[in-house]
Amino acid sequence: MVVANFLTNPGGQNMYQSLVTGDAPFYLEGWFALVILFVWLLLPVSLGYLRFRSVDLS
């Protein structure tokens, strides 16, 4: 939901800013949700590739 809201309204207020006084921390911003999603997808694939590459299949 945060990512969808960020993509449709990147300059708008997110749902967490009403709970935090002042500016929201960077980890509650929509762009950081995209970073987490990218790392969450890339890390398991990379670890699996490295593990598969080092195994002798014969």
Side-chain angles (χ1 to χ4, degrees):
M1 169 117 171
V2 173
V3 174
N5 187 24
F6 173 72
L7 293 176
T8 58
N9 188 11
Q13 182 179 12
N14 65 34
M15 64 182 156
Y16 301 112
Q17 287 177 335
S18 62
L19 301 173
V20 179
T21 58
D23 291 335
F26 73 93
Y27 52 84
L28 295 180
E29 297 292 331
W31 64 267
F32 196 70
L34 293 175
V35 171
I36 291 173
L37 180 64
F38 182 72
V39 170
W40 188 72
L41 292 173
L42 188 65
L43 188 65
V45 171
S46 301
L47 292 175
Y49 172 75
L50 292 174
R51 173 75 181 205
F52 183 76
R53 188 177 66 157
S54 66
V55 174
D56 183 21
L57 297 176
S58 55

Short mmCIF file of all heavy atoms in Angstrom, two decimals:
data_model
loop_
_atom_site.label_atom_id
_atom_site.label_comp_id
_atom_site.label_asym_id
_atom_site.label_seq_id
_atom_site.Cartn_x
_atom_site.Cartn_y
_atom_site.Cartn_z
N MET A 1 0.82 -1.19 0.00
CA MET A 1 0.00 0.00 0.00
C MET A 1 0.87 1.25 0.00
O MET A 1 0.56 2.20 -0.69
CB MET A 1 -0.91 -0.06 1.22
CG MET A 1 -1.62 1.22 1.49
SD MET A 1 -3.35 0.98 1.34
CE MET A 1 -3.94 2.49 1.94
N VAL A 2 1.93 1.25 0.79
CA VAL A 2 2.81 2.42 0.86
C VAL A 2 3.47 2.65 -0.49
O VAL A 2 3.55 3.77 -0.98
CB VAL A 2 3.87 2.25 1.97
CG1 VAL A 2 4.87 3.38 1.93
CG2 VAL A 2 3.21 2.17 3.31
N VAL A 3 3.93 1.57 -1.13
CA VAL A 3 4.58 1.70 -2.43
C VAL A 3 3.60 2.20 -3.46
O VAL A 3 3.90 3.09 -4.25
CB VAL A 3 5.21 0.36 -2.86
CG1 VAL A 3 5.76 0.46 -4.26
CG2 VAL A 3 6.31 -0.04 -1.90
N ALA A 4 2.37 1.66 -3.47
CA ALA A 4 1.36 2.09 -4.43
C ALA A 4 1.03 3.57 -4.22
O ALA A 4 0.89 4.32 -5.19
CB ALA A 4 0.11 1.24 -4.30
N ASN A 5 0.92 4.00 -2.99
CA ASN A 5 0.63 5.40 -2.70
C ASN A 5 1.80 6.29 -3.12
O ASN A 5 1.61 7.37 -3.65
CB ASN A 5 0.34 5.58 -1.21
CG ASN A 5 -0.13 6.98 -0.89
OD1 ASN A 5 -0.65 7.68 -1.74
ND2 ASN A 5 0.06 7.39 0.34
N PHE A 6 3.03 5.82 -2.90
CA PHE A 6 4.20 6.59 -3.29
C PHE A 6 4.27 6.75 -4.80
O PHE A 6 4.61 7.81 -5.31
CB PHE A 6 5.47 5.93 -2.77
CG PHE A 6 6.73 6.59 -3.27
CD1 PHE A 6 7.11 7.83 -2.80
CD2 PHE A 6 7.53 5.97 -4.22
CE1 PHE A 6 8.25 8.44 -3.25
CE2 PHE A 6 8.68 6.57 -4.69
CZ PHE A 6 9.04 7.81 -4.19
N LEU A 7 3.95 5.68 -5.53
CA LEU A 7 4.03 5.74 -6.98
C LEU A 7 2.96 6.64 -7.59
O LEU A 7 3.19 7.28 -8.61
CB LEU A 7 3.93 4.34 -7.58
CG LEU A 7 5.11 3.42 -7.27
CD1 LEU A 7 4.85 2.03 -7.82
CD2 LEU A 7 6.41 3.97 -7.81
N THR A 8 1.79 6.72 -6.95
CA THR A 8 0.73 7.56 -7.48
C THR A 8 0.83 9.00 -6.99
O THR A 8 0.40 9.92 -7.67
CB THR A 8 -0.66 7.00 -7.10
OG1 THR A 8 -0.75 6.90 -5.68
CG2 THR A 8 -0.88 5.66 -7.74
N ASN A 9 1.42 9.21 -5.81
CA ASN A 9 1.51 10.55 -5.24
C ASN A 9 2.82 10.68 -4.46
O ASN A 9 2.83 10.70 -3.23
CB ASN A 9 0.30 10.80 -4.32
CG ASN A 9 0.22 12.22 -3.85
OD1 ASN A 9 0.93 13.09 -4.35
ND2 ASN A 9 -0.62 12.47 -2.87
N PRO A 10 3.96 10.79 -5.16
CA PRO A 10 5.26 10.78 -4.47
C PRO A 10 5.49 11.96 -3.53
O PRO A 10 6.24 11.85 -2.57
CB PRO A 10 6.27 10.77 -5.59
CG PRO A 10 5.55 11.22 -6.79
CD PRO A 10 4.10 10.89 -6.58
N GLY A 11 4.85 13.07 -3.77
CA GLY A 11 5.06 14.23 -2.92
C GLY A 11 4.05 14.34 -1.79
O GLY A 11 4.14 15.22 -0.94
N GLY A 12 3.09 13.44 -1.76
CA GLY A 12 2.01 13.53 -0.77
C GLY A 12 2.39 12.99 0.58
O GLY A 12 3.45 12.41 0.80
N GLN A 13 1.48 13.17 1.52
CA GLN A 13 1.69 12.70 2.89
C GLN A 13 1.39 11.21 2.96
O GLN A 13 0.38 10.75 2.43
CB GLN A 13 0.76 13.47 3.83
CG GLN A 13 0.93 13.10 5.28
CD GLN A 13 0.01 13.90 6.18
OE1 GLN A 13 -0.88 14.58 5.70
NE2 GLN A 13 0.22 13.82 7.47
N ASN A 14 2.26 10.45 3.61
CA ASN A 14 1.97 9.02 3.76
C ASN A 14 1.21 8.78 5.05
O ASN A 14 1.04 9.66 5.88
CB ASN A 14 3.25 8.16 3.66
CG ASN A 14 4.22 8.41 4.78
OD1 ASN A 14 3.83 8.69 5.91
ND2 ASN A 14 5.50 8.32 4.48
N MET A 15 0.76 7.55 5.25
CA MET A 15 -0.10 7.25 6.39
C MET A 15 0.61 7.32 7.73
O MET A 15 -0.01 7.42 8.77
CB MET A 15 -0.76 5.89 6.21
CG MET A 15 0.18 4.73 6.19
SD MET A 15 -0.75 3.23 5.91
CE MET A 15 0.52 2.20 5.23
N TYR A 16 1.93 7.27 7.75
CA TYR A 16 2.68 7.29 9.00
C TYR A 16 2.98 8.70 9.48
O TYR A 16 3.29 8.90 10.65
CB TYR A 16 3.99 6.52 8.84
CG TYR A 16 3.78 5.09 8.45
CD1 TYR A 16 4.16 4.63 7.21
CD2 TYR A 16 3.19 4.20 9.33
CE1 TYR A 16 3.95 3.32 6.84
CE2 TYR A 16 2.98 2.89 8.98
CZ TYR A 16 3.36 2.45 7.74
OH TYR A 16 3.15 1.16 7.38
N GLN A 17 2.92 9.68 8.60
CA GLN A 17 3.25 11.03 9.01
C GLN A 17 2.25 11.62 9.99
O GLN A 17 2.58 12.52 10.73
CB GLN A 17 3.38 11.93 7.78
CG GLN A 17 4.65 11.65 7.00
CD GLN A 17 4.76 12.47 5.74
OE1 GLN A 17 3.74 12.90 5.20
NE2 GLN A 17 5.96 12.69 5.26
N SER A 18 1.04 11.08 10.02
CA SER A 18 0.07 11.56 11.01
C SER A 18 0.39 11.01 12.40
O SER A 18 -0.07 11.55 13.40
CB SER A 18 -1.34 11.16 10.58
OG SER A 18 -1.46 9.76 10.53
N LEU A 19 1.20 9.94 12.48
CA LEU A 19 1.54 9.35 13.76
C LEU A 19 2.84 9.91 14.33
O LEU A 19 3.12 9.73 15.52
CB LEU A 19 1.68 7.83 13.61
CG LEU A 19 0.44 7.09 13.11
CD1 LEU A 19 0.77 5.63 12.86
CD2 LEU A 19 -0.69 7.23 14.09
N VAL A 20 3.64 10.57 13.50
CA VAL A 20 4.95 11.07 13.91
C VAL A 20 4.93 12.59 13.83
O VAL A 20 4.51 13.15 12.83
CB VAL A 20 6.06 10.52 12.98
CG1 VAL A 20 7.41 11.05 13.36
CG2 VAL A 20 6.05 9.01 12.98
N THR A 21 5.37 13.25 14.90
CA THR A 21 5.43 14.71 14.85
C THR A 21 6.65 15.13 14.06
O THR A 21 7.72 14.51 14.14
CB THR A 21 5.51 15.30 16.27
OG1 THR A 21 6.64 14.76 16.94
CG2 THR A 21 4.25 14.98 17.04
N GLY A 22 6.52 16.15 13.27
CA GLY A 22 7.61 16.61 12.42
C GLY A 22 7.71 15.76 11.16
O GLY A 22 6.74 15.15 10.72
N ASP A 23 8.90 15.72 10.58
CA ASP A 23 9.11 14.92 9.38
C ASP A 23 9.19 13.44 9.73
O ASP A 23 9.71 13.06 10.78
CB ASP A 23 10.41 15.33 8.68
CG ASP A 23 10.32 16.72 8.07
OD1 ASP A 23 9.18 17.14 7.78
OD2 ASP A 23 11.37 17.36 7.90
N ALA A 24 8.70 12.62 8.83
CA ALA A 24 8.75 11.17 9.04
C ALA A 24 10.18 10.68 8.85
O ALA A 24 10.92 11.23 8.04
CB ALA A 24 7.83 10.47 8.06
N PRO A 25 10.60 9.68 9.61
CA PRO A 25 11.94 9.11 9.41
C PRO A 25 12.06 8.54 8.00
O PRO A 25 11.07 8.15 7.38
CB PRO A 25 12.01 7.99 10.45
CG PRO A 25 10.94 8.26 11.43
CD PRO A 25 9.89 9.03 10.71
N PHE A 26 13.30 8.45 7.51
CA PHE A 26 13.51 8.02 6.12
C PHE A 26 12.98 6.61 5.87
O PHE A 26 12.53 6.30 4.79
CB PHE A 26 14.99 8.11 5.76
CG PHE A 26 15.85 7.04 6.39
CD1 PHE A 26 16.10 5.86 5.72
CD2 PHE A 26 16.37 7.22 7.65
CE1 PHE A 26 16.88 4.88 6.29
CE2 PHE A 26 17.16 6.24 8.24
CZ PHE A 26 17.41 5.06 7.56
N TYR A 27 13.00 5.75 6.89
CA TYR A 27 12.57 4.38 6.68
C TYR A 27 11.05 4.24 6.60
O TYR A 27 10.54 3.16 6.35
CB TYR A 27 13.13 3.44 7.75
CG TYR A 27 12.89 3.88 9.17
CD1 TYR A 27 11.70 3.58 9.81
CD2 TYR A 27 13.85 4.60 9.86
CE1 TYR A 27 11.46 3.98 11.11
CE2 TYR A 27 13.64 5.00 11.16
CZ TYR A 27 12.44 4.69 11.78
OH TYR A 27 12.21 5.09 13.06
N LEU A 28 10.33 5.31 6.81
CA LEU A 28 8.88 5.29 6.63
C LEU A 28 8.46 5.94 5.33
O LEU A 28 7.26 6.05 5.05
CB LEU A 28 8.19 5.99 7.80
CG LEU A 28 8.33 5.33 9.16
CD1 LEU A 28 7.60 6.14 10.22
CD2 LEU A 28 7.81 3.91 9.13
N GLU A 29 9.40 6.39 4.54
CA GLU A 29 9.10 7.01 3.25
C GLU A 29 8.86 5.94 2.19
O GLU A 29 9.34 4.82 2.30
CB GLU A 29 10.26 7.91 2.82
CG GLU A 29 10.50 9.08 3.75
CD GLU A 29 9.38 10.10 3.74
OE1 GLU A 29 8.70 10.25 2.72
OE2 GLU A 29 9.19 10.74 4.78
N GLY A 30 8.13 6.30 1.15
CA GLY A 30 7.80 5.35 0.10
C GLY A 30 9.00 4.87 -0.69
O GLY A 30 9.08 3.70 -1.06
N TRP A 31 9.97 5.75 -0.92
CA TRP A 31 11.15 5.34 -1.70
C TRP A 31 11.95 4.26 -0.96
O TRP A 31 12.54 3.38 -1.57
CB TRP A 31 12.04 6.54 -2.02
CG TRP A 31 12.64 7.21 -0.81
CD1 TRP A 31 12.12 8.27 -0.13
CD2 TRP A 31 13.86 6.86 -0.15
NE1 TRP A 31 12.94 8.59 0.92
CE2 TRP A 31 14.03 7.75 0.93
CE3 TRP A 31 14.83 5.89 -0.37
CZ2 TRP A 31 15.11 7.68 1.79
CZ3 TRP A 31 15.92 5.82 0.49
CH2 TRP A 31 16.05 6.71 1.56
N PHE A 32 11.95 4.31 0.37
CA PHE A 32 12.69 3.30 1.13
C PHE A 32 11.99 1.95 1.07
O PHE A 32 12.64 0.91 1.14
CB PHE A 32 12.89 3.76 2.57
CG PHE A 32 13.94 2.98 3.29
CD1 PHE A 32 15.27 3.13 2.97
CD2 PHE A 32 13.61 2.08 4.29
CE1 PHE A 32 16.26 2.41 3.62
CE2 PHE A 32 14.58 1.36 4.96
CZ PHE A 32 15.92 1.52 4.62
N ALA A 33 10.67 1.95 0.93
CA ALA A 33 9.95 0.69 0.75
C ALA A 33 10.39 0.02 -0.55
O ALA A 33 10.51 -1.21 -0.61
CB ALA A 33 8.45 0.94 0.74
N LEU A 34 10.67 0.80 -1.57
CA LEU A 34 11.16 0.24 -2.84
C LEU A 34 12.56 -0.34 -2.65
O LEU A 34 12.89 -1.38 -3.22
CB LEU A 34 11.18 1.32 -3.92
CG LEU A 34 9.83 1.82 -4.38
CD1 LEU A 34 9.99 2.98 -5.36
CD2 LEU A 34 9.01 0.70 -4.99
N VAL A 35 13.39 0.31 -1.85
CA VAL A 35 14.74 -0.20 -1.57
C VAL A 35 14.65 -1.54 -0.84
O VAL A 35 15.34 -2.50 -1.18
CB VAL A 35 15.56 0.82 -0.75
CG1 VAL A 35 16.86 0.23 -0.26
CG2 VAL A 35 15.80 2.08 -1.56
N ILE A 36 13.79 -1.62 0.16
CA ILE A 36 13.62 -2.86 0.92
C ILE A 36 13.11 -3.97 0.01
O ILE A 36 13.58 -5.10 0.06
CB ILE A 36 12.67 -2.64 2.11
CG1 ILE A 36 13.33 -1.74 3.14
CG2 ILE A 36 12.25 -3.96 2.73
CD1 ILE A 36 12.42 -1.33 4.27
N LEU A 37 12.16 -3.65 -0.85
CA LEU A 37 11.63 -4.65 -1.78
C LEU A 37 12.72 -5.16 -2.71
O LEU A 37 12.84 -6.36 -2.95
CB LEU A 37 10.48 -4.06 -2.58
CG LEU A 37 9.82 -4.97 -3.60
CD1 LEU A 37 9.15 -6.15 -2.90
CD2 LEU A 37 8.81 -4.21 -4.43
N PHE A 38 13.54 -4.26 -3.23
CA PHE A 38 14.63 -4.65 -4.13
C PHE A 38 15.63 -5.55 -3.42
O PHE A 38 16.03 -6.59 -3.95
CB PHE A 38 15.32 -3.39 -4.67
CG PHE A 38 16.42 -3.68 -5.63
CD1 PHE A 38 16.15 -4.16 -6.89
CD2 PHE A 38 17.74 -3.50 -5.25
CE1 PHE A 38 17.18 -4.43 -7.78
CE2 PHE A 38 18.78 -3.78 -6.13
CZ PHE A 38 18.49 -4.24 -7.40
N VAL A 39 16.03 -5.19 -2.21
CA VAL A 39 16.97 -6.01 -1.45
C VAL A 39 16.34 -7.35 -1.08
O VAL A 39 16.99 -8.39 -1.16
CB VAL A 39 17.45 -5.26 -0.18
CG1 VAL A 39 18.22 -6.16 0.75
CG2 VAL A 39 18.27 -4.05 -0.58
N TRP A 40 15.07 -7.34 -0.72
CA TRP A 40 14.36 -8.55 -0.33
C TRP A 40 14.29 -9.54 -1.50
O TRP A 40 14.31 -10.75 -1.30
CB TRP A 40 12.97 -8.16 0.14
CG TRP A 40 12.18 -9.26 0.76
CD1 TRP A 40 12.38 -9.84 1.96
CD2 TRP A 40 11.03 -9.89 0.19
NE1 TRP A 40 11.42 -10.80 2.17
CE2 TRP A 40 10.58 -10.85 1.11
CE3 TRP A 40 10.34 -9.72 -1.01
CZ2 TRP A 40 9.47 -11.64 0.86
CZ3 TRP A 40 9.25 -10.51 -1.24
CH2 TRP A 40 8.82 -11.46 -0.32
N LEU A 41 14.19 -9.03 -2.72
CA LEU A 41 14.16 -9.90 -3.89
C LEU A 41 15.56 -10.30 -4.34
O LEU A 41 15.79 -11.44 -4.75
CB LEU A 41 13.44 -9.20 -5.04
CG LEU A 41 11.95 -8.98 -4.86
CD1 LEU A 41 11.39 -8.11 -5.98
CD2 LEU A 41 11.21 -10.29 -4.79
N LEU A 42 16.50 -9.39 -4.28
CA LEU A 42 17.84 -9.64 -4.81
C LEU A 42 18.68 -10.53 -3.90
O LEU A 42 19.42 -11.38 -4.39
CB LEU A 42 18.56 -8.30 -5.02
CG LEU A 42 19.88 -8.35 -5.73
CD1 LEU A 42 19.68 -8.82 -7.17
CD2 LEU A 42 20.53 -6.98 -5.73
N LEU A 43 18.59 -10.37 -2.61
CA LEU A 43 19.43 -11.12 -1.68
C LEU A 43 19.21 -12.64 -1.75
O LEU A 43 20.19 -13.38 -1.90
CB LEU A 43 19.23 -10.60 -0.26
CG LEU A 43 20.18 -11.16 0.79
CD1 LEU A 43 21.61 -10.74 0.49
CD2 LEU A 43 19.76 -10.67 2.16
N PRO A 44 17.98 -13.15 -1.68
CA PRO A 44 17.82 -14.61 -1.77
C PRO A 44 18.25 -15.18 -3.11
O PRO A 44 18.83 -16.27 -3.17
CB PRO A 44 16.31 -14.83 -1.55
CG PRO A 44 15.83 -13.62 -0.90
CD PRO A 44 16.71 -12.50 -1.35
N VAL A 45 17.99 -14.46 -4.19
CA VAL A 45 18.40 -14.94 -5.51
C VAL A 45 19.92 -14.97 -5.61
O VAL A 45 20.50 -15.95 -6.12
CB VAL A 45 17.80 -14.04 -6.63
CG1 VAL A 45 18.38 -14.39 -7.98
CG2 VAL A 45 16.29 -14.17 -6.64
N SER A 46 20.59 -13.97 -5.10
CA SER A 46 22.05 -13.93 -5.13
C SER A 46 22.65 -15.04 -4.28
O SER A 46 23.59 -15.72 -4.70
CB SER A 46 22.57 -12.58 -4.63
OG SER A 46 22.07 -11.55 -5.41
N LEU A 47 22.12 -15.24 -3.08
CA LEU A 47 22.63 -16.30 -2.21
C LEU A 47 22.38 -17.68 -2.82
O LEU A 47 23.25 -18.56 -2.75
CB LEU A 47 22.00 -16.21 -0.83
CG LEU A 47 22.41 -15.01 0.01
CD1 LEU A 47 21.63 -14.98 1.31
CD2 LEU A 47 23.90 -15.01 0.27
N GLY A 48 21.24 -17.87 -3.43
CA GLY A 48 20.95 -19.14 -4.10
C GLY A 48 21.88 -19.38 -5.27
O GLY A 48 22.35 -20.50 -5.47
N TYR A 49 22.15 -18.34 -6.03
CA TYR A 49 23.06 -18.48 -7.16
C TYR A 49 24.47 -18.84 -6.69
O TYR A 49 25.11 -19.73 -7.25
CB TYR A 49 23.10 -17.19 -7.97
CG TYR A 49 24.17 -17.20 -9.04
CD1 TYR A 49 24.00 -17.94 -10.20
CD2 TYR A 49 25.35 -16.48 -8.86
CE1 TYR A 49 24.98 -17.97 -11.17
CE2 TYR A 49 26.34 -16.51 -9.83
CZ TYR A 49 26.15 -17.25 -10.99
OH TYR A 49 27.12 -17.27 -11.93
N LEU A 50 24.96 -18.16 -5.66
CA LEU A 50 26.28 -18.46 -5.15
C LEU A 50 26.37 -19.88 -4.59
O LEU A 50 27.37 -20.58 -4.78
CB LEU A 50 26.68 -17.43 -4.08
CG LEU A 50 26.92 -16.02 -4.59
CD1 LEU A 50 27.15 -15.08 -3.41
CD2 LEU A 50 28.07 -15.98 -5.55
N ARG A 51 25.34 -20.31 -3.92
CA ARG A 51 25.31 -21.66 -3.36
C ARG A 51 25.29 -22.70 -4.50
O ARG A 51 25.98 -23.70 -4.45
CB ARG A 51 24.08 -21.80 -2.46
CG ARG A 51 23.82 -23.17 -1.94
CD ARG A 51 24.78 -23.54 -0.87
NE ARG A 51 24.49 -24.89 -0.42
CZ ARG A 51 24.77 -25.36 0.75
NH1 ARG A 51 25.38 -24.59 1.62
NH2 ARG A 51 24.48 -26.59 1.06
N PHE A 52 24.46 -22.47 -5.50
CA PHE A 52 24.35 -23.39 -6.62
C PHE A 52 25.65 -23.44 -7.41
O PHE A 52 26.05 -24.49 -7.90
CB PHE A 52 23.20 -22.97 -7.52
CG PHE A 52 22.94 -23.91 -8.67
CD1 PHE A 52 22.30 -25.11 -8.46
CD2 PHE A 52 23.35 -23.58 -9.95
CE1 PHE A 52 22.06 -25.98 -9.50
CE2 PHE A 52 23.13 -24.45 -11.00
CZ PHE A 52 22.47 -25.65 -10.77
N ARG A 53 26.32 -22.31 -7.56
CA ARG A 53 27.56 -22.25 -8.32
C ARG A 53 28.67 -23.04 -7.66
O ARG A 53 29.51 -23.62 -8.34
CB ARG A 53 27.98 -20.77 -8.46
CG ARG A 53 29.15 -20.57 -9.40
CD ARG A 53 29.44 -19.12 -9.53
NE ARG A 53 29.92 -18.62 -8.22
CZ ARG A 53 30.65 -17.55 -8.07
NH1 ARG A 53 30.96 -16.81 -9.10
NH2 ARG A 53 31.04 -17.18 -6.88
N SER A 54 28.68 -23.11 -6.34
CA SER A 54 29.77 -23.79 -5.64
C SER A 54 29.53 -25.28 -5.45
O SER A 54 30.42 -25.98 -4.97
CB SER A 54 30.00 -23.12 -4.28
OG SER A 54 28.88 -23.33 -3.46
N VAL A 55 28.37 -25.82 -5.81
CA VAL A 55 28.06 -27.23 -5.61
C VAL A 55 28.46 -28.04 -6.84
O VAL A 55 28.21 -27.64 -7.98
CB VAL A 55 26.55 -27.40 -5.32
CG1 VAL A 55 26.17 -28.85 -5.24
CG2 VAL A 55 26.19 -26.69 -4.04
N ASP A 56 29.08 -29.19 -6.61
CA ASP A 56 29.46 -30.09 -7.69
C ASP A 56 28.27 -31.01 -7.97
O ASP A 56 27.86 -31.79 -7.11
CB ASP A 56 30.69 -30.90 -7.29
CG ASP A 56 31.17 -31.80 -8.41
OD1 ASP A 56 30.83 -31.52 -9.57
OD2 ASP A 56 31.90 -32.76 -8.10
N LEU A 57 27.70 -30.91 -9.15
CA LEU A 57 26.51 -31.68 -9.49
C LEU A 57 26.80 -33.06 -10.06
O LEU A 57 25.91 -33.87 -10.24
CB LEU A 57 25.62 -30.91 -10.47
CG LEU A 57 25.08 -29.60 -9.94
CD1 LEU A 57 24.30 -28.88 -11.03
CD2 LEU A 57 24.21 -29.82 -8.73
N SER A 58 28.06 -33.35 -10.37
CA SER A 58 28.38 -34.65 -10.98
C SER A 58 28.75 -35.70 -9.97
O SER A 58 28.71 -35.61 -8.83
CB SER A 58 29.52 -34.51 -11.96
OG SER A 58 30.65 -33.93 -11.34
#
